[in-house]
C-alpha cells in the first residue's frame, strides 16, 4: 500500500485547472503561551480555614502550581503550622515543570497570627528573612531567596 500525504501542497494525483496547490487549513500554532507576561514567580503559602494552600504565582497573578495541606488541629502550634507550610510549599514547587523553580524570586507566608512563629520554626530569622540551605533542600527554592512574612 502506498500512502501519500500533502500538507498544503499539491500531490501528484491532484488535478487543478488553475495549477495552484490546494490551500491547506492553517493550524493554530504558536510558541507563545497566553496568560502570563511575567518571568518571575512567587511561592506563597496561606491559610484558608482548616488547610494551608501553597501556590506558585507569576507577578501578574497567573497560578502555575497549587497544593493543599489539611491542618490536623483548628489551632495548631507554631511547629505544626511550620511543618504544614513547608509541606504545602514543597508540593507546589515540585509541581512546577523543569527549571521553573529557579525562577522563584520570593517566598511568602500568610498564615495569620502565627506566621512569624512558624517562620522561626523553619529556621528563618525574621530580622533577615531568607531561605536557608535546610529549607532549600525541603522546598526546592534557592537559598538566599527573600522571604515575606504577612500577618
Amino acid at each position: 500500500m502506498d500512502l501519500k500525504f500533502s500538507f498544503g501542497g499539491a500531490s501528484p494525483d491532484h488535478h487543478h485547472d488553475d495549477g495552484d496547490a490546494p490551500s491547506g487549513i492553517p493550524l493554530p500554532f504558536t510558541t507563545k503561551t497566553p496568560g502570563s507576561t511575567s518571568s518571575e514567580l512567587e511561592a506563597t503559602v496561606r491559610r484558608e480555614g482548616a488547610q494551608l494552600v501553597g501556590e506558585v504565582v507569576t507577578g501578574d497573578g497567573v497560578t502555575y502550581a497549587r497544593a493543599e495541606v489539611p491542618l490536623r488541629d483548628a489551632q495548631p502550634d507554631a511547629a505544626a503550622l511550620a511543618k504544614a507550610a513547608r509541606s504545602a510549599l514543597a508540593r507546589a514547587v515540585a509541581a512546577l515543570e523543569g527549571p521553573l523553580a529557579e525562577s522563584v524570586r520570593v517566598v511568602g507566608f500568610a498564615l495569620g497570627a502565627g506566621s512569624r512563629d512558624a517562620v522561626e520554626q523553619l529556621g528563618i530569622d525574621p530580622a533577615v528573612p531568607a531561605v536557608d540551605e535546610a529549607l532549600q533542600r525541603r522546598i526546592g527554592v534557592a537559598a538566599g531567596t527573600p522571604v515575606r512574612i504577612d500577618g
Side-chain angles (χ1 to χ4, degrees):
M1 175 183 250
D2 186 19
L3 299 175
K4 296 178 183 174
F5 295 94
S6 173
F7 297 97
S11 65
D13 60 342
H14 280 115
H15 301 288
H16 297 285
D17 293 336
D18 59 3
D20 290 336
S23 63
I25 299 171
L27 297 175
F29 181 77
T30 179
T31 58
K32 184 177 179 183
T33 303
S36 178
T37 59
S38 177
S39 62
E40 294 187 0
L41 300 175
E42 179 176 337
T44 62
V45 61
R46 70 180 180 283
R47 188 168 183 171
E48 288 186 358
Q51 68 181 1
L52 295 185
V53 177
E55 287 186 316
V56 180
V57 182
T58 63
D60 53 2
V62 176
T63 300
Y64 269 66
R66 178 182 168 100
E68 298 173 359
V69 174
L71 293 170
R72 294 182 189 264
D73 300 321
Q75 298 296 326
D77 64 5
L81 195 56
K83 183 177 179 181
R86 184 178 59 222
S87 179
L89 284 170
R91 291 175 187 188
V93 172
L96 293 175
E97 294 180 12
L100 283 177
E102 295 173 10
S103 298
V104 173
R105 299 291 179 240
V106 176
V107 176
F109 291 86
L111 307 174
S115 283
R116 188 164 299 281
D117 292 338
V119 168
E120 287 178 11
Q121 287 289 318
L122 291 171
I124 297 172
D125 179 3
V128 186
V131 173
D132 65 359
E133 291 179 6
L135 189 56
Q136 175 187 0
R137 286 190 297 272
R138 297 301 295 264
I139 68 171
V141 174
T145 300
V147 170
R148 188 187 72 243
I149 305 167
D150 299 329

